[in-house]
Amino acid sequence: MATRRGFLGTVSAAGAATFLTQTQAATSASAAPAATDEKAARDAIRSVNAGMRSNYASLKAELVKHLSPVIVVENNAVGGRFTLINNGVQVETVNPVPEYFELAKSIAHVPLGIFSVIASYLSDQVPNIPNADRIDPHDLDMVAFKTPGDKGWITPLNSFRSTLNSAYTKLPTANLPLDLENSCTKILSEAMKFIDTIVKAQSFDMVAYNRFAATVYPSIRVNMTFAATAQITGIETLMKRWRTLIGEAAWSDLYVTVLSIWTTSELNQASIIIRRTMNQAKVDTHLIDLPTVETPSDPIAVALDNLARIVQDNVAAEMVFNTDLKVADALKGKEDLLSDEILQQVGGTAPAAKTAAFGAAGAAAAACPITGHTAAV
C-alpha cells in the first residue's frame, strides 16, 4: 500500500511542491474563518458590557435630576463652600466659616512656607534629631535634589521674609482676638529671626529648622484652636438654618458629599462637624467623602454624578445579589466585587481600616476659648 512518504517519493519535485502548496492553502483557508468567528464572538460578548454601561450611564444621568436633599461640600482655603440642593434645585451656595479661620491658618502655615523654599537644598542624609527614624531616607533623598552648597534658596527666602514682615507690621490693625494676634506675632517674629540667621550664615541644616519649628509650635496650636472654632461655629449655624428651611422629614434623608484631596480625606474637618447634625441612623451611609486627585472644575457635577452611582448601586445590590448579601454589601460600599475572591485566592486578608472610629474612641479636641465648642464628637 502506498504511504504518504512513498507517494511523495514517486512524484516529481514540481508535483510535490504543488501538493504541499494546496495542502497549506487548505489549512490556511480553514483557519481564517475560525479566527474571524472567534473575534466576532468575543466582540459580541464585549458588546454586552458596553450595552450595560450605556444603560447604566443613562439611568445615572436621569437620577442626578432627582437627588434630594443633598449638600455638596468643597474644601477650600476659607473653610469650605457649601451648596444645598433640594427637589432638584440649587437652593443656595455659601462660604459659612468666619474670616478668622482663613487668617489663623494663613499664619500657621509660615513654617511650611519656609520649608517649601529650603527643602530641596537640605542634606540628603537624615541627621541625629528627635524622631529621625520617622523620616524615610529615600523620601528625603528625593526631596533634597539640589546640589550641595547651592545658594539658590536665599533670594526666594528673602522674598518670603518681606511678605512675613508686611503681615507682621499690619497685624495690629487686623482686629483679631487678642490671643490669636499674640500667637501670630510670635510665629511671624520667630520666622523672620530664623530667616535672618540662616541668610547671614548662608547655610542651614535640618537641626536648626527643627529648633525653629519647635519654638513656634505652641503658637501654631493656638491658631489651630481658633480655626477649628471658626469652622465649627460657621458650619453648625448654617446646618441649623438649612435644616429649618427644608424641614425635619427631608433632613432625615439628607445626603452630604464632601470633596477633598487625598491628604485630607480621612477624618475630614467638614465631615466631622457635619455628621453631628445629620440623622444618626443614616449618617454612616449618607455622609460620603469623595477624595479627588485635584479640585474638579465642576465640583457639584462631580459630587452628584458620584452620588447618583452610589444611590442606584444601593438598590441594584439588593436586587442583583439578593442571594449573597456579602457581595451585595460590596456593591453598595467601597469594595471591588472581586476583592474578596482575590483575597481568597492569594491567601490574604483585607487591610485594617486606618480611620479612627468617631465617638469616644476618637481624638478629642480642647474646648475653644471663644465659644466653648469642641471638635470632639
Side-chain angles (χ1 to χ4, degrees):
M1 182 176 71
T3 62
R4 181 171 180 271
R5 181 186 298 272
F7 174 78
L8 287 175
T10 60
V11 298
S12 66
T18 301
F19 173 80
L20 289 174
T21 301
Q22 292 173 342
T23 303
Q24 291 169 349
T27 302
S28 299
S30 62
T36 301
D37 291 345
E38 178 183 286
K39 183 180 184 305
R42 294 187 176 192
D43 286 346
I45 293 171
R46 292 189 183 96
S47 295
V48 173
N49 191 52
M52 179 282 292
R53 290 185 179 278
S54 176
N55 293 335
Y56 187 94
S58 295
L59 173 61
K60 181 156 60 75
E62 287 299 314
L63 176 56
V64 164
K65 305 172 187 177
H66 301 278
L67 295 171
S68 181
V70 180
I71 293 175
V72 176
V73 182
E74 307 162 48
N75 281 280
N76 59 23
V78 297
R81 182 178 175 86
F82 294 69
T83 298
L84 173 64
I85 299 165
N86 194 38
N87 295 322
V89 176
Q90 292 187 25
V91 178
E92 188 178 7
T93 296
V94 183
N95 291 311
V97 178
E99 189 178 14
Y100 69 87
F101 167 91
E102 180 187 10
L103 303 177
K105 288 193 67 176
S106 178
I107 303 303
H109 286 158
V110 166
L112 186 58
I114 294 175
F115 167 82
S116 300
V117 175
I118 67 175
S120 59
Y121 299 89
L122 288 168
S123 167
D124 60 0
Q125 300 298 312
V126 180
N128 183 20
I129 57 175
N131 303 313
D133 59 318
R134 291 172 57 87
I135 299 176
D136 186 321
H138 179 58
D139 288 353
L140 177 59
D141 183 54
M142 288 189 291
V143 169
F145 51 80
K146 294 291 187 179
T147 303
D150 191 327
K151 299 296 190 292
W153 54 273
I154 294 178
T155 297
L157 195 59
N158 276 331
S159 176
F160 189 51
R161 189 201 186 284
S162 296
T163 301
L164 300 182
N165 187 61
S166 177
Y168 178 81
T169 302
K170 297 175 181 177
L171 192 61
T173 58
N175 194 28
L176 300 179
L178 181 59
D179 287 348
L180 179 57
E181 180 181 336
N182 289 340
S183 63
C184 290
T185 299
K186 176 70 172 179
I187 295 168
L188 290 167
S189 61
E190 290 293 337
M192 289 188 291
K193 185 189 302 182
F194 173 71
I195 292 173
D196 290 343
T197 299
I198 66 173
V199 168
K200 182 178 180 180
Q202 295 200 356
S203 68
F204 64 88
D205 56 26
M206 195 178 293
V207 174
Y209 178 84
N210 277 18
R211 288 172 181 160
F212 153 68
T215 298
V216 299
Y217 180 68
S219 298
I220 289 175
R221 290 299 310 183
V222 173
N223 284 39
M224 291 172 68
T225 299
F226 274 91
T229 300
Q231 199 165 35
I232 293 168
T233 302
I235 293 175
E236 287 188 342
T237 299
L238 177 64
M239 294 301 103
K240 183 177 181 180
R241 179 166 68 81
W242 279 354
R243 185 172 186 164
T244 300
L245 179 64
I246 69 174
E248 288 297 320
W251 191 266
S252 67
D253 291 322
L254 175 71
Y255 271 100
V256 178
T257 57
V258 182
L259 286 86
S260 61
I261 58 174
W262 179 87
T263 52
T264 61
S265 60
E266 287 197 17
L267 289 179
N268 182 274
Q269 55 206 43
S271 299
I272 294 172
I273 300 167
I274 291 173
R275 70 181 294 118
R276 307 196 311 176
T277 71
M278 297 174 65
N279 179 351
Q280 295 303 294
K282 294 185 177 182
V283 67
D284 287 338
T285 56
H286 283 50
L287 174 58
I288 300 158
D289 286 290
L290 298 175
T292 58
V293 176
E294 59 183 25
T295 303
S297 58
D298 190 341
I300 293 175
V302 170
L304 295 180
D305 181 77
N306 278 271
L307 179 58
R309 176 169 185 154
I310 291 167
V311 170
Q312 71 187 52
D313 280 357
N314 286 344
V315 179
E318 301 302 333
M319 296 181 67
V320 177
F321 297 115
N322 62 84
T323 59
D324 191 335
L325 299 186
K326 187 174 182 180
V327 176
D329 285 342
L331 180 57
K332 293 171 72 171
K334 297 180 180 180
E335 297 177 34
D336 187 287
L337 290 185
L338 286 180
S339 60
D340 192 56
E341 178 64 29
I342 290 173
L343 286 170
Q344 289 185 39
Q345 292 193 28
V346 302
T349 57
K354 292 186 290 185
T355 304
F358 288 99
C368 170
I370 299 174
T371 66
H373 287 157
T374 175
V377 180

